[in-house]
Amino acid sequence: MSATETTYKTSLINNRRYLGNKYKLLSFITGVVNDECADIETVADIFAGTGAVSSAFVDKALITNDLMYSNYICNFAWFGAESYDQQKIIDYVVRYNAKTNCGENYMTRNFADTYFSKKDCAKIGYIREDIERNYKKGNLNNRERAILITSLLYAMDKIAVTCGHYDAYRKGAKFEGSLELYVPLAEVNNNPKNQCFNEDANNLVKRIEADLVYIDPPYNSRQYCDSYHLLENVARWEKPEVFGVAKKMDRNGMKSKYCTIGATKAFETLINDIKAKYILLSYNNMAEKGNCRSNAKISDDDIMRILSQKGTVKVFEESYKAFTTGKSDISENAERLFLCICFNEE
């Protein structure tokens, strides 16, 4: 790394803002698993989000899944079974950071001076197009492509003129930072049994088995695809038409039923179909505390009823301050872990 050693910065998995991120709760989660669960070799994180919880179980065979492609691609970057050339990633990042005069593209035409300056939009569009071009030429393997896209998404997140999500941009705010990619410090050789998926968790659990299945579904009516549509757009790079003040694309295929009135039914079906020794559910106690959009979609009574049909249930609780969109003032916010020790599961 001699010549380029001082010309780039590095990033870790937790260097990203995300609603409901469990990074600060990892010691709580791993403590419960270590104390209560025996012989864990495979962990499935089926609502993985940014992969924070998966990162605590890298000594196991990991199955990650998320409905959003932008989360899937980041999880594949961090946990994918394919190996990659670290120096190649460094060279791309250094070249991208040095690039100026990127010209007009999909990003400048649709997002100039909204969440990002026109100059940064030009650079984002150029980089994303170049990643795809080199991938199609065979210059990048799947994991290298994922790592570069992840680097771009993290860089966008650092400078976006938002409150950490993309429901709206701050009109009239100054564009203070400029786009700078970091080199993600992803393991070159992960567990060869690791698998990463991008699908509905209810469909996935019919096909997988794990010793421990960790579940962290959306709690309320806020759809993640609404909050992170721009990162999803850049990750997919299908260049769709965008509309409205927030410049959102069509997101109908990305909606989670766990944000709707059908959440309880979906949860019951999910639990019934899981094949595991242990199920660990994160679900906090917001119930009726925030505004109506913040209220939990699945009641504690339903959680206990459904899990108790599957096995013996223990509940653990830890209070913490959640990352919110800035509008909610919720006191006594507690994260609960519901551990289900499943009946007769091998």
Side-chain angles (χ1 to χ4, degrees):
M1 295 186 196
S2 53
T4 55
E5 196 155 33
T6 56
T7 59
Y8 67 91
K9 297 172 187 169
T10 59
S11 64
L12 299 170
I13 192 167
N14 59 305
N15 298 148
R16 182 181 164 195
R17 299 173 293 180
Y18 199 73
L19 293 166
N21 191 331
K22 295 296 184 292
Y23 192 76
K24 291 178 180 173
L25 291 166
L26 288 187
S27 60
F28 173 46
I29 292 166
T30 55
V32 169
V33 173
N34 292 337
D35 291 345
E36 304 288 337
C37 306
D39 303 321
I40 302 294
E41 293 179 10
T42 311
V43 175
D45 185 358
I46 59 174
F47 296 85
T50 60
V53 172
S54 292
S55 73
F57 296 100
V58 289
D59 57 328
K60 319 292 184 196
L62 276 174
I63 300 170
T64 68
N65 177 63
D66 201 89
L67 191 57
M68 288 181 62
Y69 185 81
S70 51
N71 288 336
Y72 156 77
I73 208 73
C74 292
N75 287 321
F76 187 71
W78 295 111
F79 309 118
E82 190 174 21
S83 62
Y84 74 97
D85 183 338
Q86 205 165 29
Q87 186 58 49
K88 189 194 290 188
I89 299 296
I90 292 166
D91 292 344
Y92 270 87
V93 166
V94 170
R95 176 166 71 83
Y96 288 153
N97 284 337
K99 177 73 179 172
T100 56
N101 303 322
C102 298
E104 294 284 329
N105 54 49
Y106 173 78
M107 291 299 293
T108 58
R109 287 191 295 275
N110 290 286
F111 299 101
D113 298 326
T114 56
Y115 302 95
F116 309 98
S117 67
K118 183 173 182 179
K119 182 181 174 186
D120 281 322
C121 281
K123 194 161 184 172
I124 292 164
Y126 167 81
I127 291 170
R128 186 64 188 87
E129 193 67 31
D130 192 71
I131 293 169
E132 218 54 31
R133 187 165 52 242
N134 279 284
Y135 173 66
K136 284 172 181 168
K137 283 183 182 174
N139 298 332
L140 298 168
N141 68 21
N142 289 313
R143 183 109 185 273
E144 288 159 352
R145 171 182 179 267
I147 289 169
L148 288 173
I149 294 170
T150 297
S151 177
L152 177 59
L153 297 180
Y154 276 48
M156 289 168 63
D157 193 50
K158 264 189 166 43
I159 62 164
V161 183
T162 70
C163 303
H165 59 95
Y166 298 84
D167 266 334
Y169 54 89
R170 302 207 309 269
K171 288 176 186 157
K174 288 183 181 174
F175 298 107
E176 292 175 349
S178 56
L179 191 79
E180 181 184 10
L181 272 62
Y182 289 25
V183 173
L185 292 178
E187 281 293 328
V188 173
N189 297 301
N190 284 321
N191 190 316
K193 293 181 180 175
N194 283 6
Q195 295 175 278
C196 302
F197 295 95
N198 169 216
E199 60 182 273
D200 185 313
N202 280 55
N203 293 334
L204 179 67
V205 294
K206 295 172 186 173
R207 310 195 318 270
I208 63 166
E209 294 181 18
D211 297 318
L212 171 68
V213 174
Y214 174 71
I215 306 175
D216 182 23
Y219 302 152
N220 54 45
S221 63
R222 288 189 173 89
Q223 291 279 357
Y224 279 72
C225 61
D226 293 344
S227 296
Y228 298 102
H229 61 94
L230 182 48
L231 298 183
E232 187 74 2
N233 192 340
V234 171
R236 288 172 181 261
W237 207 234
E238 293 162 352
K239 302 176 193 164
E241 185 181 346
V242 297
F243 48 86
V245 177
K247 307 284 189 180
K248 294 182 180 181
M249 58 185 178
D250 179 14
R251 303 170 308 288
N252 284 328
M254 307 171 210
K255 303 278 186 183
S256 171
K257 44 186 173 277
Y258 289 88
C259 300
T260 71
I261 199 167
T264 303
K265 186 178 178 184
F267 179 68
E268 186 157 18
T269 304
L270 180 82
I271 297 302
N272 287 339
D273 287 338
I274 285 176
K275 293 176 281 295
K277 289 196 269 191
Y278 304 96
I279 298 169
L280 190 63
L281 167 71
S282 278
Y283 213 76
N284 75 13
N285 71 341
M286 289 168 73
E288 299 293 336
K289 290 188 179 178
N291 62 42
C292 61
R293 287 187 69 199
S294 298
N295 293 338
K297 289 292 176 189
I298 309 174
S299 72
D300 285 3
D301 287 346
D302 280 327
I303 289 172
M304 291 303 294
R305 173 181 62 78
I306 292 164
L307 289 178
S308 296
Q309 289 168 359
K310 187 78 172 181
T312 306
V313 184
K314 296 183 179 181
V315 186
F316 307 86
E317 187 169 300
E318 180 161 289
S319 62
Y320 80 113
K321 182 159 178 55
F323 167 55
T324 71
T325 57
K327 295 175 186 171
S328 309
D329 183 18
I330 299 165
S331 58
E332 299 176 54
N333 195 23
E335 187 69 29
R336 282 97 44 79
L337 290 173
F338 296 81
L339 176 66
C340 178
I341 302 152
C342 301
F343 300 135
N344 306 322
E345 291 287 353
E346 290 302 322

